[in-house]
Amino acid sequence: MHTQDLKEILTHHPYPGRGIVLGRSVDNQKAVLAYFIMGRSENSRNRIFAPTEDGIRTQAFDASKMTDPSLILYHPVRVVGESTIVTNGDQTDTIRDGLLAGKSFADALRTREFEPDPDNYTPRISGLLHKDGSFVLSILKSADGDPSCCCRYFFRYDHPLAGEGRFIHTYQENRDPLPSFEGEPRRVSLTAPDAQTLADELWSHLNEENRVSLFVQYVDLTTGQRDAVTINKHG
């Protein structure tokens, strides 16, 4: 698998949906985490990322316009112990509760499936970033749009390379219905020296009409210090 330019991928994909990037900084000193959400409906676009004690949550920008909070409001990022969970739905809490109960990342996700939103059946994408910078990514998706079968894929990266990451997103193409992501998480270059630079790069290459919110965090592998940046289209 060749290394791809993340900015180039986003430029040519107007609606990847929700996306997770996990990897290692170019100086090999920091773990890198990024998560973004996009939206085509007014309900999906009416959101912002708000900080919490252990990460971030989605909330309505204008509560009076929120028509259906299901599948919209959740905690995308939560820290549990010395690890960080990032997902595109309320399975963040499923993973967190499972880890606290002594279960593995995979065991926790075996209790969940793709989202119940026909005809898209949006896949659940999840990541777990460990203190040493190793990480796991997962996708739970329907069998090519058939909800009678849930396909579960897990990808573990024990020794991430400096300046590289893995990118997984919900939708393979911008069609109707939206087809689920296919294959192994994309291998992408991460050359930005800090969280702000990466956030600015990603935000500028996300489709201007569909982008909603972005969260980027660099975690120092020696001290554990977190450098986080949030960008919201609203507010």
Side-chain angles (χ1 to χ4, degrees), residues 9-187:
I9 294 172
L10 297 178
T11 297
H12 292 93
H13 198 333
Y15 194 64
R18 288 163 275 177
I20 296 172
V21 179
L22 293 177
R24 188 70 60 90
S25 62
V26 71
D27 64 4
N28 209 29
Q29 301 300 307
K30 300 175 181 67
V32 177
L33 179 154
Y35 177 68
F36 65 79
I37 57 174
M38 306 183 79
R40 297 192 301 182
S41 68
E42 181 180 10
N43 200 42
S44 293
R45 292 175 176 178
N46 180 34
R47 291 183 291 173
I48 61 172
F49 285 163
T52 64
E53 290 184 358
D54 63 350
I56 57 171
R57 61 185 174 91
T58 58
Q59 69 178 36
F61 172 67
D62 184 343
S64 67
K65 295 181 178 180
M66 179 61 66
T67 58
D68 181 7
S70 65
L71 306 179
I72 295 293
L73 303 183
Y74 56 94
H75 290 80
V77 178
R78 302 195 78 166
V79 175
V80 54
E82 296 179 319
S83 298
T84 308
I85 306 164
V86 53
T87 88
N88 72 326
D90 63 8
Q91 73 268 26
T92 306
D93 294 344
T94 301
I95 297 169
R96 176 182 179 274
D97 294 345
L99 294 177
L100 291 175
K103 297 180 180 179
S104 68
F105 175 79
D107 284 342
L109 282 172
R110 287 191 181 100
T111 67
R112 304 301 303 270
E113 291 189 347
F114 46 83
E115 295 182 357
D117 60 336
D119 295 316
N120 296 322
Y121 298 109
T122 298
R124 292 189 185 272
I125 55 174
S126 308
L128 181 64
L129 175 64
H130 297 291
K131 179 184 179 182
D132 64 359
S134 63
F135 60 88
V136 188
L137 285 167
S138 169
I139 182 169
L140 312 179
K141 62 180 184 177
S142 67
D144 295 325
D146 185 341
S148 66
C149 176
C150 180
C151 306
R152 305 172 185 275
Y153 300 91
F154 297 87
F155 307 89
R156 184 178 181 91
Y157 303 92
D158 287 338
H159 301 285
L161 300 176
E164 286 191 1
R166 298 286 173 155
F167 174 41
I168 192 169
H169 49 91
T170 51
Y171 305 127
Q172 185 74 6
E173 297 180 65
N174 186 29
R175 301 204 316 257
D176 192 14
L178 291 159
S180 296
F181 178 88
E182 296 179 359
E184 185 179 342
R186 299 169 184 255
R187 183 179 180 183

